[in-house]
Amino acid sequence: MSGANRHYVLAAGGTGGHMLPAFALANELERRGHHVALITDERGANIPGKPDFLPAHIMPVGRFGKNPVRWLGGVAKVMEGRKMALRLFENFEPSAVVGFGGYPTLPALLAARSAKVPSVIHEQNAVLGRVNRLLAPRVNAIGTAYPQVARMKAKWLDKTYLVGNPVRAEVLALRDEPFPTFSEDSLLKVLVTGGSQGASILAQVVPDGLAMLPPALRQRLQVTQQCRPEDVGAVRERYRNHDIPAELATYFENMAERLADTHLFIGRAGASTIAELTAVGRPAILVPLPIATDDHQAANTREVVEAGGARMIRQSSFTPKELARQIQVLSQRSGTLGNAAHKAWNCGRPDAVKDLADLVESFGGAEMMDVIRVGKNNARGASQGVAVGQGAARDAAEERVS
């Protein structure tokens, strides 16, 4: 296989948080002249945004819950998926297999190890996920979205690289656009989402919280809110009773355009959400999902909150009164929102997809360019967000390939 035209297999679980970074990497690798295939489950194959050129191979998914009785069935599914992945590898001959977390990743990466194909995992959250923890000792490299990742063992750091979390091209295109003007006379444009399906807690709290703002500020509100279908009617009624103009929908296709006009975001703290907010530079009030595994959404907020680009409110404390208080703090002076936006922007990693592609391409002959080494040789650089030099990255890549 020629150095300029290689094959890569991406494996990801069936949620947007896993699939969207995989789609972004697929587009980048295809742009560089490579062939890419996808391993996922039925849910993943139906996530919007899959590139047309990307064939999806649906594998059996073995899930491992708290009941050990079901583990035998889960193991059987994993081994069945591993055999299917091995057959794919025989025909496709990948230079590397890249896992993005979720159960479909497990059989694909186990097959890669069996076939002696180099493997990489990418962790989108600030806590290493369950499947990625199982795979971390067995892979050649780990790409992370944050400088600090909980559940990451010290012995894995030498093969760990800070790349960031890839975001959609249409969102990344907004990075060099200025923050929308906000003054004492302008509208305060608020965007509220709870992920792809919205969140009921936001439907319950946000309209009443906005209504508690001082009249001079409340009269300048312009709200866009994504809601669950069952919540739309009640939320519309609340805004109508509070005399607050609001556009409501269960899904917004043009989310990048909405984000471009936004002064303040209110919503959950999923990895993709924070990656997009920091890529564009938008201040936020973040309400982590309390049932998220290992409380990873709260961990995701740490970097941007410490930088001053966002505020985090635990769901147990997320009341209309507290929300109104936080909004007032952020909007009481004309420059406060703009300063927070700049601090969020500084947390963005706009080269995430390029850096991840460089890391993946290093398994096949290409040099790895300016990807931050998180291990002991570059601990200071990772914590400060300073890229290592090309020579150090190249040496690390050669160590990994040899």
Side-chain angles (χ1 to χ4, degrees):
M1 191 180 299
S2 69
N5 184 358
R6 296 188 293 278
H7 293 181
Y8 294 99
V9 172
L10 314 185
T15 67
H18 296 312
M19 300 300 297
L20 294 179
F23 293 161
L25 178 61
N27 279 315
E28 178 66 15
L29 290 174
E30 197 269 346
R31 187 188 68 79
R32 297 184 183 195
H34 305 307
H35 299 289
V36 191
L38 174 69
I39 289 177
T40 187
D41 56 13
E42 290 186 3
R43 287 192 308 159
N46 292 313
I47 295 287
K50 186 178 79 66
D52 292 337
F53 64 81
L54 184 65
H57 300 267
I58 298 175
M59 300 285 176
V61 177
R63 301 184 185 277
F64 301 88
K66 295 181 179 179
N67 185 355
V69 175
R70 297 183 178 178
W71 290 0
L72 286 176
V75 170
K77 290 287 188 183
V78 168
M79 298 313 293
E80 183 184 350
R82 176 179 168 276
K83 288 181 181 178
M84 293 175 66
L86 283 170
R87 288 197 294 270
L88 171 63
F89 297 168
E90 287 178 2
N91 294 324
F92 197 65
E93 297 183 2
S95 293
V97 178
V98 188
F100 288 85
Y103 286 109
T105 303
L106 192 55
L109 273 290
L110 291 177
R113 182 176 174 85
S114 177
K116 294 182 171 53
V117 176
S119 56
V120 179
I121 55 175
H122 180 265
E123 178 56 61
Q124 301 88 48
N125 293 298
V127 180
L128 198 63
R130 186 178 301 153
V131 172
N132 278 348
R133 289 200 298 272
L134 289 172
L135 293 168
R138 300 171 173 83
V139 300
N140 299 81
I142 302 169
T144 68
Y146 297 94
Q148 297 180 353
V149 179
R151 298 290 190 102
M152 178 78 75
K153 293 186 177 180
K155 62 185 177 182
W156 301 335
L157 290 179
D158 234 20
K159 60 181 179 182
T160 300
Y161 300 83
L162 175 60
V163 296
N165 194 16
V167 301
R168 294 172 290 177
E170 60 267 30
V171 172
L172 192 59
L174 301 173
R175 183 165 174 83
D176 294 328
E177 297 296 321
F179 182 69
T181 301
F182 179 70
S183 66
E184 294 180 356
D185 300 321
S186 61
L187 292 172
L188 174 59
K189 298 182 180 180
V190 180
L191 175 64
V192 187
T193 78
S196 59
Q197 297 299 317
S200 290
I201 187 68
L202 300 173
Q204 296 164 17
V205 172
V206 174
D208 294 345
L210 295 177
M212 295 179 72
L213 293 171
L217 183 58
R218 188 178 69 237
Q219 292 168 5
R220 295 157 49 206
L221 288 170
Q222 184 174 317
V223 181
T224 300
Q225 183 161 347
Q226 189 179 42
C227 304
R228 295 178 185 272
E230 60 269 28
D231 293 333
V232 171
V235 175
R236 182 172 286 117
E237 185 65 21
R238 286 189 182 195
Y239 279 119
R240 185 181 296 118
N241 291 339
H242 295 317
D243 197 26
I244 295 174
E247 181 181 0
L248 310 178
T250 57
Y251 180 74
F252 290 108
E253 288 190 5
N254 58 339
M255 191 57 78
E257 294 177 22
R258 308 276 175 172
L259 199 56
D261 290 336
T262 295
H263 294 112
L264 177 64
F265 173 88
I266 303 171
R268 291 299 195 195
S272 294
T273 295
I274 292 182
E276 294 192 347
L277 290 172
T278 55
V280 177
R282 291 296 181 270
I285 294 174
L286 301 168
V287 187
L289 179 69
I291 61 171
T293 306
D294 295 319
D295 201 22
H296 69 256
Q297 286 206 0
N300 290 348
T301 70
R302 186 181 304 117
E303 183 182 32
V304 68
V305 167
E306 289 179 354
R311 291 167 179 265
M312 189 266 279
I313 305 175
R314 289 283 186 178
Q315 184 162 309
S316 57
S317 302
F318 187 58
T319 62
K321 183 177 180 180
E322 178 61 17
L323 175 62
R325 187 181 76 83
Q326 296 286 3
I327 293 174
Q328 282 184 260
V329 170
L330 283 167
S331 58
Q332 61 186 353
R333 296 185 182 89
S334 59
T336 306
L337 279 172
N339 288 337
H342 184 66
K343 291 172 180 177
W345 189 90
N346 282 337
C347 293
R349 295 187 172 88
D351 295 328
V353 71
K354 295 177 183 177
D355 287 346
L356 182 57
D358 286 347
L359 178 59
V360 171
E361 273 194 328
S362 72
F363 300 98
E367 295 180 358
M368 182 161 47
M369 308 295 287
D370 296 325
V371 180
I372 296 174
R373 180 76 165 272
V374 177
K376 59 186 178 182
N377 294 331
N378 193 46
R380 183 183 64 82
S383 65
Q384 295 181 356
V386 180
V388 297
Q390 294 179 13
R394 189 181 309 118
D395 291 343
E398 289 170 356
E399 288 174 14
R400 208 69 56 233
V401 175
S402 61

